[in-house]
Amino acid sequence: MTAAGVVSAQQTPLFHQLSAAQLREVLQAAQPRKAPRDSFLFQQGDPAAAIYLLLAGRMRIHQVTPDGQQVLLRVLIPGEMFGGVTLLKDALYPASARAVEECTVLGWEVETMARLMEQYPRLALNALRLLAARMETLQDSYRELATERVERRVARALLRLTRQTGRRVEGGVLIDFPLSREDLAEMTGATLYTVSRILSGWERQGLIESGRQRVLIRRPHGLVAIAEDLPPSPPAKQPGQGAG
């Protein structure tokens, strides 16, 4: 494994408080794998055969609902674990993992990870905490869908993506991830029309700048105010304006 791969693994919560020797043994038990751009690492409904660690690249986790609607659930960045349902016996993957760009992953088969967890109880405890945190995130998402205005949900989704993949550029923070308005609609449980209307309004206010699968956050604090339902800040003075 490369030095970058080891660093990613060391920063992964699943391996928190493992010794260097324990981490080395866990990593040696994994199978490295490449996932070309736009390929599926696994698809919804496949037998859950392995749990994965993303070392390089980015992945989309999405799910197809019974009525055929595709929903973007998560964006994965290096250092994140996924496929945790593997830890349950005879489980199926509830969603699909698709590479946004070429990805490098490590995979542990079900039996291998079970053996490692028996050998290192800290590994099992970390996995339990991760599953609990994921459940809390799902509960928060359900609460947002049930109680919050669409504008707040869209603002929260953009801020989450900014924290995950944001890159400082001239004029603001670029969400360095191909993101369409359809994606945002899927993530927030809104219609494409509603999301388009909201983003167009924010563009007129100077909060964001959006293009084809590209979103630049020009005023992050403005989105925070919407997400947290805070009073709007006064508009910035235009060049040439002074005290009267």
Side-chain angles (χ1 to χ4, degrees), residues 118-189:
E118 289 180 1
Q119 187 173 355
Y120 303 122
R122 168 59 61 178
L123 195 60
L125 179 60
N126 290 343
L128 183 61
R129 288 174 173 168
L130 282 174
L131 290 174
R134 187 66 48 77
M135 181 64 67
E136 184 176 355
T137 300
L138 289 173
Q139 290 173 338
D140 288 342
S141 297
Y142 179 79
R143 175 184 51 78
E144 289 177 10
L145 286 172
T147 64
E148 294 186 353
R149 294 179 296 109
V150 179
E151 289 85 355
R152 293 188 68 186
R153 301 204 303 263
V154 175
R156 287 181 186 273
L158 287 176
L159 290 171
R160 279 195 295 267
L161 290 169
T162 299
R163 288 191 295 269
Q164 288 181 302
T165 67
R167 177 166 58 88
R168 181 72 63 177
V169 297
E170 183 178 357
V173 180
L174 177 67
I175 295 178
D176 194 14
F177 181 85
L179 182 70
S180 68
R181 295 188 173 192
E182 290 87 346
D183 291 332
L184 273 175
E186 293 170 8
M187 295 177 71
T188 56

Side-chain angles (χ1 to χ4, degrees), residues 60 69-72 179-192 195-196 199 212-213:
R60 298 162 56 98
Q69 180 183 2
Q70 180 174 286
V71 179
L72 177 61
L179 182 70
S180 68
R181 295 188 173 192
E182 290 87 346
D183 291 332
L184 273 175
E186 293 170 8
M187 295 177 71
T188 56
T191 65
L192 175 58
V195 168
S196 296
L199 295 185
R212 180 175 173 80
Q213 297 199 333

Side-chain angles (χ1 to χ4, degrees), residues 8 17 52 82 87 106 111-112 140 171 179 208-209 224 232 236:
S8 293
Q17 291 189 350
Y52 294 97
F82 59 107
L87 301 176
L106 290 179
E111 296 80 5
T112 300
D140 288 342
L179 182 70
I208 67 167
E209 181 180 305
V224 171

